[in-house]
Amino acid sequence: MKRFFTFLMAVWALLSISQTVKAADVTVYFQCPDGWNTPVRAYVYDKDGIPFKGWKETDECTKVHTSKGVELWKYSFDSKFTKVIFQNNEISSQYPSSGIDVINEHVYTSAGDQGTLSEFEKKAPYTYT
């Protein structure tokens, strides 16, 4: 019984450690420019230029609407990736031409970083799509 208890304690300790080393998620929002084909995709990479996925294998962002009805595209990823480029669905357009330094929970438009979601909604005008 003592061995079993020791085994369970060891397993619990390993599980606790594995939970603390997991990197935090980062979430960014993007308002695509007029004329983009949706859904929007996100290409993220780290400070050394190593991507999460290849250019043609990027993930779709999730369409969300703000409390004021503004359509945005949301993407969450591991915090070890520090730059993002947004692409239209056909990967023929992108914003920006080189990656944005991401800040968690910020909204990006073709005009740049718009701050947090609540800051974005306070700033008029914004585009309804």
Side-chain angles (χ1 to χ4, degrees), residues 39-55:
V40 171
R41 299 181 167 277
Y43 175 80
V44 296
Y45 57 98
D46 68 14
K47 63 180 173 33
D48 297 322
I50 299 171
F52 174 59
K53 292 187 176 183
W55 188 252

Side-chain angles (χ1 to χ4, degrees), residues 14-84:
L14 288 173
L15 288 173
S16 296
I17 291 168
S18 69
Q19 293 301 314
T20 57
V21 268
K22 182 185 179 296
D25 284 339
V26 170
T27 299
V28 292
Y29 300 89
F30 180 67
Q31 184 177 43
C32 61
D34 290 338
W36 270 38
N37 296 320
T38 56
V40 171
R41 299 181 167 277
Y43 175 80
V44 296
Y45 57 98
D46 68 14
K47 63 180 173 33
D48 297 322
I50 299 171
F52 174 59
K53 292 187 176 183
W55 188 252
K56 294 187 180 202
E57 292 84 35
T58 56
D59 292 325
E60 276 186 20
C61 300
T62 304
K63 183 174 20 175
V64 296
H65 290 88
T66 68
S67 62
K68 296 191 179 197
V70 179
E71 182 180 281
L72 298 176
W73 294 88
K74 174 183 174 182
Y75 189 62
S76 296
F77 51 94
D78 191 305
S79 64
K80 73 179 180 181
F81 300 102
T82 58
K83 299 223 183 238
V84 64

